[in-house]
Amino acid sequence: GRTQLWNSSGTSLGVNMAESAFLQFVSPYAFEAMQKVDVVRLAALSDPELRLLLPCLVRMALCAPADQSQTWAQDKKLILRLLSGVEAVNCIVALLSVDFHALEQDANKEQQLRHKLGGGSGESILVSQLQHSLTLEFEHSDSPRRLRLVLSEILAIINKVSDSTGEFFLKSSELFESPVYLEEVADVLCILQAELPSLLPIVDVAEALLHVRNGAWFLCLLVANVPDSFNEVCRSLIKNGERQDEESAGGHRRTEALRQLCKMNPAQALKVRGMVVEECHLPGLGVALTLDHTKNESPEEAVSDLVCFVSGLLLGTNAKVRTWFGTFIRNGQQRKKESSISVLWQMRRQLLLELVDILPRVRSTHVVEEVDADMESTVSVYSGLKEEHVVKASALLRLYCALMGIAGLKPTDEEAEQVLQLMTSRPPATPAGVRFVSLSFCMLLAFSTLVSTPEQEQLMVVWLSWMIKEEAYFESTAGVSASFGEMLLLVAMYFHSNQLSAIIDLVCSTLGMKIVIKPGSLSRMKTIFTQEIFTEQVVTAHAVRVPVTSNLSAIITGFLPVHCIYQLLRSRSFTKHKVSIKDWIYRQLCETATPLHPQLLPLIDVYINSILTPASKSSPEATNQPVTEQEILNVFQGLTGSENPRRSERYSITAQLLVLYYVLSYEEALLTSTKTLAAMQRKPKSYSSALMDQIPIKYLIRQAQGLQQELGGLHSALLRLLATNYPHLCIVEDWICEEEITGTDALLRRMLLTSSAKNHSPKQLQEAFSMLPVNHTQVMQVLEPLTLLSASELIPYAEVLTLNMSCLLNAGVPRRILQTITRLWMILNTVMPRRLWVMTVNALQPSLKLVRQHTYTQNDLMIDPLIVLRCDQRVYRCPPLMDITLHMLNGYLLASKAFLNSHLKETADQDIRSSQTNSMGTAGQTEVPEVTREELKNALLAAQDSAAIQILLEICLPTEKEKSQNVISEDSLKSFLSFAVPPSRGLEDGEESLLCDLREVQCLICCLLHQMFIADPNIAKLVHFQGYPCELLALTVAGIPSMHICLDFIPELLAQPELEKQKFAIQLLSYLCIQYALPKSLSVARLAINVMGTLLTVLTKAKRYTFFMPTLPCLVSFCQAFPPLYEDIMSLLIQIGQVCASDVATETRDIDPSITRLQQLKEKPVEWSGIHKDTSCKGGLKDLESTDPDVQLCQCIESTVVEIINMSVAGV
């Protein structure tokens, strides 16, 4: 019957298969013997099998071998003995006796002749004019002529193949079709190819043989006699093959030939299949070879090679291969005539057989109508999928998904029926069973067309109900975290919220392939889910009962309970149906591990939103409950006490960081939405400051910093929250210090830590401190090893260190002890800053016996940061402890700002109430309470900062005792600014006066003030408008680099009506001009001189004396910084002198000589340059009363002029 099936090109595939059915092919056993030249195996072959291999064996026996070993000599004798009994050997020997050189020359001439004639049939050089047909000529010819006949014929075919345009042809040739002479023609062909390889390359001969009848048989004999050419021939045939072999007769013949070659050499079949995939040619061959290989597989194998091969093509990463094979599937479905014998049909049949083979007792769902029984009992026949078949079933489901979704396979009714039976079967409770159910469920969603009848739909509903009922049992028994129950919940939630695209993404992700699913195809499934199986109330109630995922991390893939809860929180299902979810979320946060699961942070954010924002305006009480403070504290158990912080035995660092993120995010969200909540008359509870004080925030942030790669975006999110709500924990100086403490140097120092040093305890440190007044060495012996400990290991010592700080203020404590204590304090500051600051402030309080000391809390210090400066007065002259005090002050000033900002947001409801009250008043009165409260807050913060700065500046002033000891003189401060140090002052004196505790404290304070001025220039303006002792101007201008900003507001300060502020401005300007001799300073100095000239005309006698006596020396600095001001300043001085003289003229005495001398000083300064200011002040006007203000002013003017002259002459 096969010979009757013809394709469109007129060539019969059945003939192709049947034409060589009567011929004997080379067996795999014989081919392997030839490959290995196994003489023993060859001797075991039957005569018909041996006959096929004679050309090679005869050549092997007669030709001189390259192998001269004794072993081969023995094997050769055996081969000769083997051949001696075969009659056909004589014919082959005769063929080998021909002059092949002459034959090759004639063949080349014929090739050239054919080329000239354009391939036409003319005179042949190889074969003279034939008298009979080819077969008769072959029969009557001797060996040389037989060679010429076959050579001429094969060359003609090769030439026609090379000249063809690609369209397949089948050449009719008597030589290759006559069954009587096939073996002899095969002998001749093999000898020709072996002796003339350059004229007849084996790949060209192989290609030509496809175009003659019995070509596959000839090709197998040819390759069997040259076994080393197997791979070369196969690759060539595949490379020259069609992309789709099922569509042409040539493709069928090529596929069949290669298939026969692989049957001859089955060991290389899979390698040939790899060539097919590599070249993307002959997909039918790849499937056919796989089918052949599958027949030889043992039935015990879990997944067949056919399933693996086709799945790999469609689900692999190579898009080219996927498209190529998908085209093969689509085209194969369109050919209806030959579908029953095509390779695609064979593949589908084999897959269906495998599927049916693993099904439990199969019964068609169409029989349900005939069975008068309950549906549940009817469906039970599909349960009980064997455990050993589960993996294979999952692979088959994925393959059918790929075939239908990617390759476009349209299943037959039988295929659809059996696939549905497999999908709705019930596997055992194993991880593989969970995977199978998940795949089946997603396949139902992706290909809803598989369910076409009401009976099948009912079967699906019963199966889904079974899934819901058995989900918990499966998860507990299988021991997996990601069960199919979560997927059911998630799909139900998506259906309820109409997120069909999310369902499609979920299906594609679970199946592991991107397939096109139309949202419209899910409409029936949506109805089933939302109305029959999973109502919204059932979803929420079931979700709370789902166990949390143990040790949830990013390693656990798939769809988990956390995904379901997240979606339900987003849709506000819990609050809508009054289901409490707080406990579930808390348990899940506690059951986490690294690396962080990406769904946890979104879960916390949406949970916080559900706490603060009601589900609807109509029911403002419909919100979730927040986590309690006690539950939060439980997570940090072991970190909140004084014991060594270590990871709690119960909670991981991931759980602690997540709870910290929850608390900080909750507080920030609460502050942000205060106004909205107040408008809705809702005020959710805020977490107490006592709770926040017990959470070791900085320690946890440090832990997170070391786990950034494993925590994803959690570390950066925590830093953002910290910078917003806890700026005092984000001081740049602390981060820099932390890098030094936790860097490589610290690690190397820890290597120096001896085992004995590790044995120190807080008790030993306390005992050493108690001996401090008499024994300093013991304290150092304990303190030094502590500097090598890590910050977390130091925490048990924190209380002892801070409690004993007051005893360090006593006289005689070595500086090294103080510096070591400071270093340890800074290390502790990186892990427990807030608690450490509170302990330190309380420890450094003044020790007044009559007054009971107050124990301050964190809240007290944030409300009033100036408490830090109400410490023991001795701290002000102890630079190491003053450094700590200033660090705490800076931190609490930042904390106070954050505290007031949050307080302002917390009390936003007062704004709403006040605005409502104002709206009831008169329409003409408009108030903006928000702005007013903001301004009050800013004013309070400015007053707080300026008060701290004023106190610090006051600390910089020497005490009466220090003044009596001349610790630091005003001259030494001025010398800091002076460009020309007088020769009379030696460097030794200056150094002796500057190297003291006061000077070091002044430097520390100046550093802090510089930071504060840079952070907020308005504070600098406020402090200078308030004013401070002029004795400190030299210090502040020289020690605070940012003082140059004062040049911006000095003109405004000069315009103030208060004389004291104008006087302070001119004194400040004099120092700034020396420090910053800039064009801007010059213009401000000109303004100051003009202001002094203007004030001269309006001030009374008493005010004139008060203003000009301290400001006249400033003119010297102006001249020193800017010589062009000399003329203006001298004119001003003479003008002041004239005004004073005119006032004195009304008195009893005359001072015209003084004015005359001023004129002479101005006109001839060089003659007066030798006069020292002291002599001019003392001897110039000896006869005048020194108590007269005008007289004293005149003396000061004369002294100022002399200084200017001396300065200018010295400069020249």
Side-chain angles (χ1 to χ4, degrees):
R2 291 181 180 176
T3 56
Q4 306 302 319
L5 298 172
W6 294 79
N7 61 11
S8 57
S9 62
T11 305
S12 169
L13 177 62
V15 170
N16 178 38
M17 297 173 64
E19 63 185 17
S20 55
F22 62 91
L23 298 174
Q24 180 171 356
F25 282 83
V26 179
S27 66
Y29 183 86
F31 184 81
E32 187 178 0
M34 285 297 294
Q35 258 189 327
K36 298 178 179 179
V37 196
D38 191 336
V39 180
V40 176
R41 283 193 174 194
L42 290 171
L45 295 177
S46 64
D47 289 344
E49 287 180 310
L50 192 63
R51 174 69 185 84
L52 304 177
L53 306 176
L54 286 182
C56 180
L57 293 175
V58 172
R59 288 188 73 250
M60 203 183 295
L62 296 182
C63 298
D67 187 359
Q68 300 294 332
S69 64
Q70 188 65 30
T71 305
W72 173 242
Q74 295 296 327
D75 288 345
K76 191 173 180 181
K77 289 179 182 178
L78 291 173
I79 291 173
L80 288 170
R81 188 181 306 162
L82 187 64
L83 296 175
S84 62
V86 182
E87 185 180 350
V89 171
N90 296 327
C91 297
I92 297 174
V93 172
L95 290 173
L96 288 172
S97 306
V98 176
D99 184 359
F100 285 98
H101 179 65
L103 184 61
E104 185 174 12
Q105 286 180 334
D106 290 345
N108 287 329
K109 290 176 183 178
E110 180 165 324
Q111 290 284 74
Q112 292 172 4
L113 180 62
R114 284 182 177 177
H115 182 68
K116 288 180 181 179
L117 297 175
S121 57
E123 288 291 330
S124 174
I125 298 173
L126 282 172
V127 182
S128 59
Q129 191 67 35
L130 298 176
Q131 301 297 325
H132 308 285
S133 64
L134 268 177
T135 51
L136 286 175
E137 287 288 340
F138 186 81
E139 181 181 358
H140 298 151
S141 300
D142 57 359
S143 295
R145 185 165 174 80
R146 284 188 172 189
L147 287 168
R148 287 174 178 271
L149 285 170
V150 175
L151 180 59
S152 176
E153 190 71 9
I154 196 68
L155 284 176
I157 299 172
I158 291 174
N159 289 331
K160 189 172 181 181
V161 170
S162 62
D163 294 340
S164 67
T165 57
E167 186 176 352
F168 180 77
F169 65 91
L170 187 63
K171 188 176 186 309
S172 178
S173 175
E174 293 181 31
L175 279 179
F176 294 98
E177 295 173 6
S178 176
V180 179
Y181 303 110
L182 286 182
E183 290 183 349
E184 295 179 12
V185 173
D187 294 340
V188 174
L189 183 62
C190 292
I191 295 298
L192 281 172
Q193 198 284 321
E195 297 295 337
L196 303 174
S198 58
L199 181 65
L200 297 174
I202 192 166
V203 293
D204 293 348
V205 175
E207 191 70 30
L209 289 174
L210 296 178
H211 297 266
V212 297
R213 297 192 184 280
N214 302 312
W217 183 80
F218 279 105
L219 182 56
C220 287
L221 259 65
L222 180 64
V223 173
N225 283 276
V226 193
D228 293 342
S229 66
F230 180 86
N231 286 330
E232 181 187 3
V233 169
C234 289
R235 182 170 291 278
S236 174
L237 290 177
I238 292 169
K239 197 168 187 179
N240 295 328
E242 296 81 354
R243 282 187 62 83
Q244 299 297 333
D245 51 355
E246 292 275 288
E247 298 179 7
S248 66
H252 284 302
R253 296 188 69 85
R254 191 180 298 270
T255 298
E256 186 59 31
L258 283 162
R259 199 170 178 179
Q260 290 294 344
L261 284 172
C262 291
K263 284 182 179 178
M264 183 177 71
N265 187 10
Q268 293 294 311
L270 296 184
K271 186 175 181 180
V272 172
R273 188 180 70 178
M275 297 177 191
V276 167
V277 177
E278 183 182 342
E279 298 291 340
C280 284
H281 286 170
L282 309 177
L285 173 63
V287 175
L289 293 177
T290 307
L291 289 169
D292 293 341
H293 184 258
T294 304
K295 292 175 184 175
N296 300 325
E297 281 184 327
S298 59
E300 289 79 18
E301 292 189 26
V303 183
S304 71
D305 184 58
L306 178 63
V307 174
C308 295
F309 174 67
V310 180
S311 299
L313 296 181
L314 293 175
L315 301 177
T317 56
N318 193 324
K320 180 183 176 183
V321 172
R322 189 162 53 246
T323 305
W324 162 70
F325 197 75
T327 306
F328 166 72
I329 300 289
R330 290 185 183 90
N331 294 348
Q333 292 184 107
Q334 297 171 4
R335 292 189 301 274
K336 300 295 183 182
K337 289 184 179 180
E338 59 188 62
S339 60
S340 60
I341 58 172
S342 68
V343 175
L344 176 61
W345 180 84
Q346 295 175 36
M347 179 190 82
R348 294 175 68 170
R349 193 65 193 163
Q350 178 64 31
L351 288 175
L352 190 59
L353 288 172
E354 291 188 20
L355 190 152
V356 171
D357 187 53
I358 64 173
L359 274 177
R361 294 179 299 150
V362 181
R363 180 185 298 172
S364 172
T365 51
H366 297 295
V367 184
V368 174
E369 297 177 0
E370 304 169 11
V371 179
D372 185 17
D374 185 61
M375 186 65 193
E376 184 70 42
S377 62
T378 304
V379 175
S380 64
V381 298
Y382 306 114
S383 60
L385 186 65
K386 293 182 180 179
E387 186 173 351
E388 60 268 21
H389 292 156
V390 174
V391 174
K392 187 173 184 178
S394 298
L396 277 167
L397 285 185
R398 287 194 76 224
L399 175 56
Y400 272 103
C401 284
L403 286 170
M404 292 189 288
I406 297 174
L409 180 74
K410 295 177 181 177
T412 62
D413 292 343
E414 185 182 7
E415 285 174 331
E417 174 75 16
Q418 301 302 336
V419 168
L420 185 62
Q421 299 304 329
L422 181 62
M423 288 162 56
T424 53
S425 60
R426 303 177 184 184
T430 61
V434 172
R435 171 70 175 158
F436 171 79
V437 174
S438 302
L439 288 173
S440 300
F441 176 56
C442 287
M443 193 171 178
L444 269 177
L445 294 171
F447 306 103
S448 55
T449 53
L450 291 173
V451 182
S452 55
T453 64
E455 293 80 9
Q456 290 175 335
E457 185 175 305
Q458 184 62 27
L459 173 65
M460 178 189 67
V461 171
V462 172
W463 183 73
L464 289 173
S465 303
W466 169 81
M467 282 179 66
I468 298 167
K469 187 173 67 175
E470 297 295 325
E471 179 267 328
Y473 169 71
F474 262 70
E475 186 166 353
S476 60
T477 308
V480 292
S481 300
S483 181
F484 51 81
E486 286 74 46
M487 188 181 300
L488 274 170
L489 276 176
L490 203 56
V491 169
M493 287 181 284
Y494 284 144
F495 272 132
H496 278 288
S497 56
N498 204 32
Q499 299 182 55
L500 300 183
S501 60
I503 294 177
I504 293 171
D505 292 340
L506 172 82
V507 169
C508 294
S509 175
T510 305
L511 294 176
M513 63 190 78
K514 190 68 177 175
I515 55 180
V516 178
I517 305 172
K518 295 179 180 179
S521 65
L522 296 171
S523 57
R524 180 59 189 144
M525 292 295 291
K526 179 181 178 181
T527 305
I528 293 172
F529 260 81
T530 55
Q531 296 179 12
E532 297 182 31
I533 300 177
F534 270 117
T535 62
E536 191 174 35
Q537 191 166 2
V538 171
V539 170
T540 52
H542 184 78
V544 180
R545 296 196 300 269
V546 174
V548 299
T549 307
S550 181
N551 291 322
L552 175 62
S553 69
I555 298 173
I556 303 176
T557 56
F559 292 91
L560 306 165
V562 68
H563 293 95
C564 305
I565 300 299
Y566 171 75
Q567 287 299 330
L568 286 170
L569 281 170
R570 279 191 63 188
S571 60
R572 305 308 297 268
S573 300
F574 293 112
T575 50
K576 202 181 300 180
H577 298 286
K578 298 181 181 179
V579 177
S580 176
I581 194 61
K582 182 259 293 183
D583 293 335
W584 191 97
I585 290 178
Y586 176 74
R587 291 197 304 271
Q588 183 61 84
L589 292 182
C590 295
E591 283 288 342
T592 51
T594 53
L596 187 72
H597 195 281
Q599 196 64 42
L600 287 170
L601 294 187
L603 176 73
I604 294 173
D605 293 336
V606 76
Y607 171 57
I608 292 171
N609 183 56
S610 71
I611 295 171
L612 302 177
T613 310
S616 62
K617 293 182 179 179
S618 59
S619 55
E621 73 284 350
T623 56
N624 283 313
Q625 295 298 313
V627 181
T628 64
E629 292 193 0
Q630 187 56 49
E631 287 172 330
I632 292 171
L633 282 177
N634 290 342
V635 175
F636 301 107
Q637 187 178 8
L639 297 180
T640 55
S642 60
E643 66 267 23
N644 185 18
R646 51 186 168 79
R647 295 187 181 183
S648 172
E649 294 178 3
R650 184 177 175 189
Y651 301 108
S652 64
I653 185 66
T654 318
Q656 293 166 350
L657 290 169
L658 286 170
V659 173
L660 173 63
Y661 174 78
Y662 160 75
V663 174
L664 295 179
S665 295
Y666 177 84
E667 289 297 311
E668 185 181 57
L670 183 60
L671 292 176
T672 305
S673 56
T674 303
K675 289 183 181 179
T676 309
L677 294 170
M680 299 172 65
Q681 297 183 347
R682 287 193 70 250
K683 192 170 184 180
K685 184 181 177 183
S686 173
Y687 290 115
S688 65
S689 57
L691 170 69
M692 303 308 297
D693 291 345
Q694 293 184 71
I695 299 176
I697 298 177
K698 197 66 182 290
Y699 168 77
L700 292 170
I701 293 293
R702 273 197 63 190
Q703 297 297 313
Q705 188 175 1
L707 298 169
Q708 287 186 58
Q709 297 295 326
E710 298 180 351
L711 293 177
L714 180 57
H715 179 252
S716 56
L718 287 172
L719 283 184
R720 179 189 63 79
L721 292 168
L722 213 61
T724 306
N725 303 294
Y726 292 88
H728 50 295
L729 299 183
C730 297
I731 302 173
V732 177
E733 184 182 351
D734 284 353
W735 294 117
I736 296 173
C737 178
E738 189 172 329
E739 289 296 326
E740 296 175 358
I741 293 169
T742 59
T744 309
D745 293 342
L747 189 63
L748 293 173
R749 285 198 303 271
R750 290 202 66 188
M751 296 172 66
L752 304 175
L753 191 61
T754 60
S755 57
S756 59
K758 291 181 182 178
N759 295 328
H760 290 303
S761 64
K763 185 178 180 181
Q764 289 178 322
L765 181 60
Q766 182 60 51
E767 292 173 356
F769 271 119
S770 63
M771 302 286 291
L772 186 60
V774 293
N775 189 346
H776 300 150
T777 308
Q778 188 173 349
V779 175
M780 281 309 302
Q781 285 177 342
V782 179
L783 289 178
E784 281 294 340
L786 294 184
T787 60
L788 302 176
L789 295 177
S790 65
S792 55
E793 292 171 334
L794 264 182
I795 290 183
Y797 299 88
E799 193 169 352
V800 178
L801 285 171
T802 52
L803 285 175
N804 290 280
M805 276 187 172
S806 56
C807 66
L808 301 175
L809 298 171
N810 298 326
V813 177
R815 178 63 178 252
R816 186 176 176 185
I817 292 180
L818 290 169
Q819 289 177 331
T820 307
I821 291 289
T822 304
R823 185 176 171 188
L824 293 173
W825 191 93
M826 288 297 179
I827 295 174
L828 286 167
N829 186 58
T830 62
V831 289
M832 48 175 295
R834 295 178 299 155
R835 187 159 147 248
L836 181 67
W837 294 356
V838 174
M839 290 193 297
T840 306
V841 169
N842 287 320
L844 293 178
Q845 288 186 68
S847 55
L848 301 176
K849 295 181 180 179
L850 300 178
V851 181
R852 183 180 177 185
Q853 287 188 342
H854 180 72
T855 303
Y856 296 108
T857 63
Q858 184 78 17
N859 202 47
D860 296 334
L861 293 164
M862 284 198 296
I863 294 173
D864 183 11
L866 299 182
I867 293 174
V868 177
L869 294 175
R870 296 176 199 146
C871 56
D872 195 317
Q873 299 292 316
R874 294 174 294 174
V875 174
Y876 300 155
R877 293 299 179 264
C878 180
L881 295 185
M882 189 63 189
D883 188 17
I884 291 174
T885 304
L886 293 176
H887 194 92
M888 294 188 298
L889 175 65
N890 185 33
Y892 278 121
L893 287 174
L894 293 171
S896 182
K897 291 176 184 176
F899 173 77
L900 289 176
N901 283 327
S902 63
H903 178 72
L904 207 64
K905 292 178 180 178
E906 286 174 2
T907 55
D909 57 330
Q910 297 179 7
D911 292 342
I912 295 175
R913 286 201 297 269
S914 60
S915 63
Q916 291 173 350
T917 305
N918 291 334
S919 64
M920 296 171 62
T922 59
Q925 296 177 351
T926 57
E927 292 185 8
V928 189
E930 287 184 5
V931 176
T932 304
R933 295 178 75 239
E934 185 71 23
E935 287 179 350
L936 287 172
K937 181 208 68 172
N938 292 336
L940 176 58
L941 289 174
Q944 198 168 258
D945 288 348
S946 62
I949 293 172
Q950 293 289 1
I951 295 172
L952 292 175
L953 289 172
E954 188 179 338
I955 293 171
C956 291
L957 288 171
T959 62
E960 292 298 328
K961 182 178 179 181
E962 288 168 338
K963 286 179 182 177
S964 63
Q965 295 174 353
N966 195 22
V967 172
I968 188 163
S969 64
E970 188 177 352
D971 289 340
S972 65
L973 288 175
K974 289 183 178 180
S975 70
F976 211 70
L977 294 171
S978 178
F979 292 140
V981 180
S984 59
R985 288 184 57 83
L987 289 175
E988 293 80 5
D989 296 338
E991 289 177 358
E992 184 180 353
S993 61
L994 290 175
L995 294 176
C996 61
D997 289 340
L998 174 60
R999 188 61 175 172
E1000 191 173 348
V1001 168
Q1002 287 174 341
C1003 291
L1004 293 172
I1005 291 174
C1006 286
C1007 287
L1008 177 61
L1009 296 186
H1010 172 58
Q1011 295 175 18
M1012 294 178 71
F1013 288 170
I1014 289 296
D1016 187 5
N1018 290 324
I1019 292 298
K1021 183 177 180 180
L1022 176 60
V1023 169
H1024 286 89
F1025 269 68
Q1026 291 173 343
Y1028 51 83
C1030 59
E1031 295 89 344
L1032 292 172
L1033 283 172
L1035 173 69
T1036 56
V1037 172
I1040 304 175
S1042 54
M1043 280 293 288
H1044 63 84
I1045 62 176
C1046 297
L1047 291 170
D1048 296 333
F1049 55 76
I1050 283 180
E1052 189 180 347
L1053 192 56
L1054 287 170
Q1056 296 296 310
E1058 292 89 351
L1059 209 60
E1060 287 298 322
K1061 291 185 179 180
Q1062 294 170 334
K1063 183 170 61 176
F1064 181 77
I1066 293 172
Q1067 290 174 314
L1068 171 62
L1069 182 59
S1070 66
Y1071 288 100
L1072 288 173
C1073 287
I1074 296 295
Q1075 187 76 6
Y1076 307 103
L1078 306 171
K1080 187 174 185 178
S1081 306
L1082 174 59
S1083 62
V1084 179
R1086 287 186 191 278
L1087 175 63
I1089 294 169
N1090 293 335
V1091 170
M1092 292 175 73
T1094 304
L1095 290 175
L1096 176 63
T1097 62
V1098 298
L1099 293 178
T1100 62
K1101 180 178 180 180
K1103 290 184 177 180
R1104 184 169 63 238
Y1105 174 81
T1106 305
F1107 177 76
F1108 282 103
M1109 281 300 287
T1111 56
L1112 284 177
C1114 298
L1115 297 174
V1116 180
S1117 299
F1118 292 159
C1119 276
Q1120 181 180 351
F1122 307 112
L1125 296 177
Y1126 177 82
E1127 289 292 333
D1128 294 342
I1129 290 173
M1130 291 304 293
S1131 298
L1132 175 63
L1133 289 171
I1134 292 172
Q1135 188 180 357
I1136 297 171
Q1138 289 174 342
V1139 171
C1140 293
S1142 64
D1143 281 351
V1144 175
T1146 60
E1147 303 294 333
T1148 56
R1149 295 178 181 265
D1150 190 4
I1151 57 168
D1152 278 344
S1154 174
I1155 302 303
T1156 304
R1157 189 156 53 250
L1158 284 175
Q1159 292 287 354
Q1160 292 175 351
L1161 286 171
K1162 180 182 178 184
E1163 294 169 2
K1164 300 177 181 180
V1166 180
E1167 298 177 4
W1168 295 81
S1169 61
I1171 302 175
H1172 194 273
K1173 61 179 181 179
D1174 293 339
T1175 58
S1176 65
C1177 288
K1178 292 178 182 178
L1181 300 167
K1182 288 187 290 184
D1183 55 332
L1184 298 179
E1185 293 289 338
S1186 60
T1187 57
D1188 191 326
D1190 285 329
V1191 174
Q1192 293 181 16
L1193 196 54
C1194 287
Q1195 291 174 350
C1196 187
I1197 292 168
E1198 186 174 348
S1199 173
T1200 301
V1201 172
V1202 171
E1203 271 195 67
I1204 291 173
I1205 292 171
N1206 287 334
M1207 179 267 299
S1208 59
V1209 172
V1212 174

